[in-house]
Amino acid sequence: MVFLVGLTVVAVFWRYLLNDPIFGITDISRMSLAVIVAGSLAYGARHGGFVHVDILMAVAGRKWTRFTDLFVRVAGIVIVGVATWALREEARCGFECGEFTDNLEILHPPFYWLLAIAMGVYCLMLICELVIGVAHFGAAEDPNEHE
Amino acid sequence: MSDLGIGLTGFLSLFLLLAIRMPVGTAMLIVGSVGIWIIHPRGESASIATLGGEIFSISTVYSLTILPLFILMGNLAGISGMSRDLYDAAHAWFGHYRGGLASSTIVGCAGFSALSGSSLASAVTMGRVALPEMKRYNYDDALATGSIAAGGTLGILIPPSAGFVIYAILTEESIGRLFMAGVLPGIMLTSLFILAIWIKVKINPDLAPSSVAVLPITERLASLRQASWIIGIILITIGGIYGGAFDAVEAAAIGAFLSFLVCIIRRKTQWSALKETIAHTLRSTATTFYILMGAFVFTPFVALSGIPTALTDWLGTLNAAPYTVLIICLVFFIILGTFLEGFAILILALPLVQPIMEGYGIDMIWFGVMMVIVLEMGLISPPVGINVFVVKGIAPDVPMNTIFRGIWPFWFAMMAAIAILLNFPEIALFLPNTMFN
């Protein structure tokens, strides 16, 4: 993130002070964003960064949410797992598939891999939450209930 | 089953998944990929390709680099103490009026919103500063907490706004023009909020029983000088976009850089504070991008199902006037806002509504501003007004229904803002139409 801020500020100063726009700055910014998004996804997975609508708990209570949470986690594991696999599949095809940036021809596969790893981390987090949820199924509270 | 039937079943399933507390992004990823799998002639391979391709493409959109940068700028402004300066300045200038502390909170939130694209960040940052002060002067709990929750919502109207960025990406409108379109309505809504406070306190003076003594002009000017950092950064970033000196992404980076410089000058760069800033930025970035990933898989499914075309055709048979359709849409969003998260409404509704609005020749920038105000209403509407929950976190001793009672004057102020904008679109369109001279 610091790199992205620095890069953009330098690009603006270069353009105005030296009257010489830096070639390919957009490509580097785009790929930096992929790194930030991958990092934030993994962090968000660990620290409950994904929003959900929480009406059911107030209406029905844990008596029902322990069942729905079970379903939500299993469905989440499946779709995030498939997304991880889909990103890995895309990552395997590089230059031949035209997977590179417009100006600097930065190859996309390493960034696909990063996103795949981030999704994989989220999938693992969901598996852990599922196991903990099953272990606490009969208990009054699930440690991950509010995340 | 027809494609249309599959599309409608998809929407129904999505609402069902959201109701059982599935994360918004996950629900859209599931419905979108399963829907594409069923409808698309290439089935499974199309679904997998969309899933991988869209997740990557949304993570590498240049204009979206603005999101982490503006979130970072807002968080840095928080730790640098600039938000406190802003509140102090508003307090010095407006605090002595009846209900002045609540009005100062609104002005502080509006100012902070110009550095932060998040309504939650605005509510939390200003709430922590303003609430103890209002309690000290025996302000009514409903008025105090209501003004913080409502003031925070200005975060997604006054640029930089995460709501506008997502709207721009989904409708392919210019982020810079949308940002400019939010400025005058943002100022108007701030004034309407202050007017709502004034009316409430006029009717019942007990809501704000005491006020601060009038400060001498030297002290007021000193408070303004102290707030000059934040005012300067706001002028440079928003003025830079308006004047065409740099684009919205560059403005975000320069704003973040300047905020960091202020942190260094004020010696607020302790490792723990910086770590928390980065953590907050990462969490907010994850929240937004995960929803966007879901949206970019869900939207092609909606298009494939043919729902937008069917809806446009159906509305065409009604021969309804453009304004009638527009008002129906806004009312529908207000209802959705009572139980759905704001970004989810944007993402769910835009693929359906955009073709209709464009078909009726409605300006999408003008519509975007009204839609964002409607989303703001959702942020404070019961039962899932997120800002209300945030304020509850700051004021644990105030009952939830007291906070909800306090938001109604502001909710009606937002309704008034929409009514004014419906009649005077120029308020939203003047700045974008005069950008770059």
Side-chain angles (χ1 to χ4, degrees):
Chain A
M1 220 173 292
V2 172
F3 171 75
L4 186 59
V5 172
L7 181 78
T8 316
V9 171
V10 167
V12 172
F13 277 98
W14 227 258
R15 194 171 70 223
Y16 281 107
L17 296 183
L18 306 178
N19 207 17
D20 181 23
I22 301 173
F23 177 73
I25 209 83
T26 319
D27 285 3
I28 303 173
S29 297
R30 284 178 55 211
M31 293 305 119
S32 309
L33 180 65
V35 177
I36 293 171
V37 171
S40 71
L41 274 180
Y43 185 86
R46 177 74 187 83
H47 296 273
F50 304 128
V51 288
H52 58 253
V53 182
D54 205 354
I55 308 175
L56 192 66
M57 191 60 167
V59 177
R62 175 148 164 81
K63 196 172 73 179
W64 287 94
T65 56
R66 59 185 178 161
F67 290 103
T68 54
D69 282 356
L70 206 68
F71 171 75
V72 164
R73 281 165 187 158
V74 171
I77 290 165
V78 173
I79 192 67
V80 177
V82 172
T84 309
W85 183 73
L87 283 161
R88 194 197 71 119
E89 284 299 296
E90 295 280 337
R92 286 165 62 176
C93 183
F95 205 85
E96 313 85 64
C97 303
E99 291 281 4
F100 48 85
T101 62
D102 299 334
N103 298 318
L104 299 178
E105 296 190 351
I106 303 169
L107 283 170
H108 287 172
F111 303 98
Y112 269 111
W113 277 115
L114 265 179
L115 288 165
I117 291 168
M119 280 290 184
V121 169
Y122 184 28
C123 194
L124 281 176
M125 284 306 304
L126 285 171
I127 292 170
C128 292
E129 281 182 17
L130 178 71
V131 172
I132 295 167
V134 169
H136 289 79
F137 196 72
E141 216 173 76
D142 178 340
N144 297 302
E145 203 159 61
H146 301 292
E147 290 200 4
Chain B
M1 194 187 277
S2 67
D3 288 354
L4 204 61
I6 295 168
L8 291 172
T9 313
F11 265 97
L12 203 68
S13 314
L14 185 68
F15 281 114
L16 210 68
L17 292 176
L18 292 176
I20 60 167
R21 309 202 304 169
M22 184 173 276
V24 179
T26 309
M28 284 193 287
L29 283 175
I30 290 176
V31 176
S33 35
V34 172
I36 292 170
W37 191 335
I38 297 170
I39 292 181
H40 202 281
R42 287 196 295 118
E44 182 192 336
S45 60
S47 177
I48 297 292
T50 308
L51 203 54
E54 293 299 337
I55 288 175
F56 179 80
S57 70
I58 200 65
S59 307
T60 53
V61 174
Y62 173 69
S63 47
L64 280 179
T65 46
I66 196 173
L67 281 175
L69 294 177
F70 267 135
I71 296 168
L72 179 66
M73 178 169 96
N75 286 331
L76 285 171
I79 63 162
S80 68
M82 286 192 283
S83 49
R84 172 93 226 184
D85 297 342
L86 200 63
Y87 178 76
D88 287 345
H91 186 281
W93 286 87
F94 303 108
H96 57 279
Y97 295 111
R98 270 234 181 261
L101 292 183
S103 303
S104 304
T105 307
I106 297 292
V107 174
C109 282
F112 188 72
S113 299
L115 274 192
S116 161
S118 156
S119 57
L120 298 185
S122 299
V124 171
T125 312
M126 276 300 149
R128 281 188 187 139
V129 180
L131 195 63
E133 204 69 0
M134 286 194 272
K135 275 194 177 294
R136 191 150 72 92
Y137 284 91
N138 296 318
Y139 269 52
D140 175 64
D141 280 344
L143 177 68
T145 51
S147 61
I148 296 165
T153 65
L154 292 167
I156 60 165
L157 178 62
I158 295 176
S161 147
F164 277 143
V165 173
I166 291 174
Y167 181 90
I169 296 294
L170 293 172
T171 56
E172 296 180 0
E173 289 290 340
S174 149
I175 294 178
R177 276 171 58 81
L178 275 161
F179 275 8
M180 285 306 124
V183 174
L184 294 181
I187 294 169
M188 179 181 76
L189 191 55
T190 305
S191 312
L192 287 171
F193 281 170
I194 293 172
L195 183 68
I197 293 168
W198 185 82
I199 293 171
K200 277 280 284 181
V201 176
K202 186 85 180 161
I203 294 169
N204 183 4
D206 290 343
L207 297 178
S210 56
S211 53
V212 185
V214 183
L215 292 176
I217 191 73
T218 47
E219 275 188 47
R220 286 202 242 172
L221 288 174
S223 73
L224 213 53
R225 221 175 8 259
Q226 184 71 11
S228 58
W229 284 106
I230 189 165
I231 295 168
I233 295 174
I234 291 167
L235 288 178
I236 289 171
T237 50
I238 297 178
I241 298 173
Y242 182 72
F246 30 73
D247 65 28
V249 173
E250 291 169 343
I254 287 172
F257 176 70
L258 292 175
S259 300
F260 185 63
L261 278 187
V262 175
C263 288
I264 293 174
I265 292 166
R266 294 184 169 184
R267 297 170 194 274
K268 301 278 186 183
T269 48
Q270 295 89 346
W271 173 237
S272 57
L274 289 178
K275 208 171 114 181
E276 204 180 313
T277 301
I278 295 290
H280 275 157
T281 309
L282 283 177
R283 203 159 47 230
S284 304
T285 305
T287 305
T288 317
F289 272 89
Y290 192 54
I291 293 176
L292 278 171
M293 285 169 185
F296 271 66
V297 175
F298 183 72
T299 308
F301 159 62
V302 175
L304 277 172
S305 73
I307 293 179
T309 322
L311 206 59
T312 313
D313 291 347
W314 175 71
L315 280 167
T317 60
L318 294 179
N319 287 326
Y323 264 66
T324 314
V325 176
L326 182 60
I327 291 168
I328 290 170
C329 283
L330 291 174
V331 170
F332 178 62
F333 293 146
I334 291 172
I335 296 166
L336 274 183
T338 58
F339 59 91
L340 259 186
E341 202 268 333
F343 287 163
I345 299 173
L346 260 185
I347 285 158
L348 285 176
L350 268 180
L352 299 178
V353 168
Q354 188 182 4
I356 298 170
M357 292 300 140
E358 286 177 343
Y360 277 99
I362 288 166
D363 189 300
M364 287 307 285
I365 298 269
W366 174 48
F367 178 69
V369 174
M370 286 187 290
M371 193 160 178
V372 163
I373 296 178
V374 168
L375 297 188
E376 285 184 290
M377 294 167 87
L379 287 170
I380 55 171
S381 299
V384 289
I386 295 175
N387 270 27
V388 174
F389 288 94
V390 166
V391 173
K392 173 74 183 161
I394 307 166
D397 53 322
V398 181
M400 211 56 174
N401 54 358
T402 306
I403 308 177
F404 274 123
R405 189 159 44 82
I407 57 100
W408 287 114
F410 304 102
W411 196 88
F412 285 111
M414 288 173 179
M415 284 290 275
I418 291 175
I420 295 170
L421 277 170
L422 273 170
N423 287 293
F424 303 100
E426 302 79 21
I427 296 172
L429 297 176
F430 174 72
L431 285 181
N433 288 344
T434 54
M435 271 174 86
F436 322 133
N437 301 316

